Amino acid sequence: MFAVSAKEKAFVKGNIAEKILILQNLDESEKIPIVQKGLDFSIENVSVLAQDEELNSLVLSCISALPDDASRIKKIKKKEQQKLSEKLMAIFKLFGDTKIKSASMEKLPLYSKADRQMLVEFLNDYLESAFKTGEKEENVLESAIVTVGQVGNENSLTVVFNIWHSKIWPAYQKSAGDALALLCHDSFSDIIKIFSISNIGEFEIFFSLLKNSLKNDTNSLCSVAENALLIAINNAEKLTASTEEKKAFVAFQIETQAVLAENKWSHASSVVNSNMLLLKKSYDEGLLSETDFIKMIESSVQVPSEDLAKTLTEMLSDCNSTVEKIDRIVVGDSDEKSTMPARNVVLALIKALGELGDKTAFDALLYVTYISYPLEVIDEAKMSLAKLNW
């Protein structure tokens, strides 16, 4: 038989108050066997002493007595760590007290390193059940979300996505988003799947989370930006949401193109061209500011293509047509009413076409010099004409 210490005997014989006192005055070497007995006692008697304050105090004393320092935990045999992990899970399920649940959740990851899968399944089951029953917000929920984000699996991704997507617990929305980004950090297919099934108005929020998560992995970030932007463009006609959601979508377009342009991600040249067509539409509808539209024109040149040159040339040609109408109105040849295109937008288009150097822009740039643009615009058109490649 194994030797039993005097404190262990006293713990077994004592009442709950005496047990708590013993727990508070244990040497390091005595803690684990006595804590295990205390947890076993609590689990066995919770059905008899439900909601009993003394029993709750005993449970909290047991959990508090467990070491939380990695070096001290490492000295505990793995089998004992696993037993403690299983007991903490049982305590979490059996006791309704929030303090007990929080204390259990805090210690669980520390004692579940030997069997991460068991911890992950426990967290998945808890969060899925809480989601289905619409459990009220409490700190232990947030702790579970954060933990599952760090250790979770594919099933965790589904559970956390549902929590994030539904916004069931608004106070924990950021934690859910951060957990989601961590869970799909190493899985490109999972990231793209989430974009595929998300509301387009949510793209900007999710991409911002990923951008922060993937900031040290440029290739992955650019691949995500390219493919997510393509998904968004292909589904843009389905966006019949509020103005606020449309603006969120435009913000996503701006952010993803900025990433692609900053890293000169040539793979995305056709996507950037398509994005510019959509951004022009948003600018015309008042959803995109003049300043942001100019930034997008400037950034698009960092991901050049023949199609982009044609797109920007058409935009300049539209501006030219508007100025031509105004010229006709001035001389009395037309009753149409037109507003002069924004000077800085026109300048941005002219400069961009000069940088691209594609000769398809020749006619549009030349025509700028024939109609009544400000002298600054005409001079810029002449400089861009000189940069075209022949």
Side-chain angles (χ1 to χ4, degrees):
M1 289 183 65
F2 293 103
V4 179
S5 69
K7 281 188 180 179
E8 200 169 341
K9 288 179 182 178
F11 184 84
V12 172
K13 291 173 65 176
N15 58 34
I16 293 179
E18 290 169 337
K19 283 177 166 55
I20 292 171
L21 187 61
I22 290 170
L23 280 165
Q24 292 171 345
N25 294 277
L26 288 175
D27 294 330
E28 193 69 31
S29 60
E30 299 172 308
K31 279 187 176 181
I32 299 306
I34 292 180
V35 165
Q36 293 220 45
K37 283 183 169 56
L39 292 174
D40 286 337
F41 176 86
S42 304
I43 290 167
E44 289 165 10
N45 293 285
V46 65
S47 59
V48 179
L49 300 173
Q51 308 302 321
D52 183 84
E53 287 187 12
E54 272 198 318
L55 184 64
N56 285 353
S57 296
L58 173 63
V59 174
L60 284 169
S61 296
C62 287
I63 297 172
S64 297
L66 285 172
D68 53 14
D69 179 77
S71 60
R72 290 161 66 196
I73 294 172
K74 196 173 182 180
K75 294 177 182 178
I76 303 170
K77 292 179 180 179
K78 287 186 178 180
K79 284 187 178 179
E80 297 304 311
Q81 288 186 41
Q82 186 165 338
K83 285 180 184 178
L84 286 166
S85 175
E86 291 170 359
K87 294 181 198 301
L88 287 169
M89 289 179 190
I91 291 290
F92 184 93
K93 291 176 181 177
L94 293 170
F95 284 79
D97 184 84
T98 302
K99 289 181 181 178
I100 292 174
K101 284 185 175 295
S102 295
S104 301
M105 186 63 69
E106 186 179 336
K107 291 288 174 74
L108 253 175
L110 304 176
Y111 288 84
S112 300
K113 290 181 179 178
D115 191 348
R116 281 296 194 195
Q117 188 59 33
M118 184 171 66
L119 172 62
V120 171
E121 289 174 1
F122 168 77
L123 292 169
N124 287 348
D125 289 345
Y126 168 61
L127 288 171
E128 189 170 20
S129 174
F131 176 76
K132 287 179 179 177
T133 57
E135 192 169 307
K136 292 182 180 179
E137 290 175 343
E138 55 181 46
N139 290 336
V140 68
L141 271 171
E142 184 171 27
S143 179
I145 292 168
V146 170
T147 303
V148 85
Q150 296 166 345
V151 301
N153 57 15
E154 287 183 7
N155 293 332
S156 310
L157 181 63
T158 301
V159 172
V160 174
F161 173 75
N162 288 336
I163 291 169
W164 177 79
H165 182 70
S166 67
K167 300 181 178 66
I168 186 172
W169 299 306
Y172 309 143
Q173 188 66 10
K174 184 182 183 304
S175 294
D178 291 341
L180 186 62
L182 283 174
L183 285 167
C184 60
H185 183 277
D186 295 321
S187 176
F188 180 79
S189 60
D190 285 333
I191 292 173
I192 298 308
K193 181 181 177 182
I194 288 175
F195 276 112
S196 299
I197 62 178
S198 294
N199 183 301
I200 298 178
E202 296 172 333
F203 276 35
E204 192 268 337
I205 300 170
F206 185 48
F207 183 74
S208 293
L209 290 168
L210 290 172
K211 185 179 175 183
N212 185 57
S213 177
L214 297 169
K215 60 186 176 183
N216 296 320
D217 187 349
T218 301
N219 286 349
S220 294
L221 179 60
C222 288
S223 292
V224 168
E226 176 190 351
N227 285 274
L229 186 54
L230 180 60
I231 292 169
I233 289 167
N234 288 340
N235 290 276
E237 71 276 3
K238 298 177 184 177
L239 188 63
T240 55
S242 64
T243 299
E244 184 179 340
E245 287 178 311
K246 286 181 179 178
K247 285 185 176 180
F249 177 56
V250 169
F252 163 75
Q253 290 177 272
I254 292 171
E255 192 167 5
T256 46
Q257 182 167 310
V259 166
L260 296 171
E262 181 183 350
N263 294 287
K264 299 184 178 180
W265 192 252
S266 59
H267 302 291
S269 59
S270 63
V271 178
V272 168
N273 178 62
S274 298
N275 195 47
M276 286 305 300
L277 290 167
L278 272 183
L279 288 169
K280 174 62 164 61
K281 184 179 178 183
S282 296
Y283 171 67
D284 291 340
E285 293 174 358
L287 296 168
L288 177 66
S289 71
E290 179 182 319
T291 300
D292 284 334
F293 186 43
I294 290 168
K295 286 179 182 178
M296 290 299 96
I297 293 169
E298 293 170 346
S299 72
S300 68
V301 178
Q302 302 305 313
V303 194
S305 68
E306 185 179 332
D307 288 337
L308 178 64
K310 291 177 181 177
T311 294
L312 298 184
T313 297
E314 288 173 7
M315 290 182 189
L316 181 59
S317 295
D318 288 342
C319 294
N320 290 347
S321 296
T322 300
V323 176
E324 186 182 20
K325 288 177 185 177
I326 293 172
D327 286 350
R328 287 201 303 267
I329 292 169
V330 171
V331 298
D333 291 341
S334 173
D335 295 327
E336 296 181 55
K337 290 185 179 180
S338 294
T339 303
M340 196 75 171
R343 181 175 60 87
N344 288 332
V345 169
V346 176
L347 282 170
L349 288 169
I350 292 171
K351 289 177 182 178
L353 289 169
E355 285 187 52
L356 289 170
D358 195 297
K359 61 185 179 182
T360 57
F362 177 77
D363 289 342
L365 287 170
L366 184 62
Y367 198 55
V368 169
T369 66
Y370 293 156
I371 49 183
S372 57
Y373 277 112
L375 184 59
E376 178 188 6
V377 174
I378 294 171
D379 287 343
E380 194 65 49
K382 290 177 180 177
M383 285 190 283
S384 288
L385 280 167
K387 294 177 183 178
L388 298 184
N389 299 316
W390 293 94

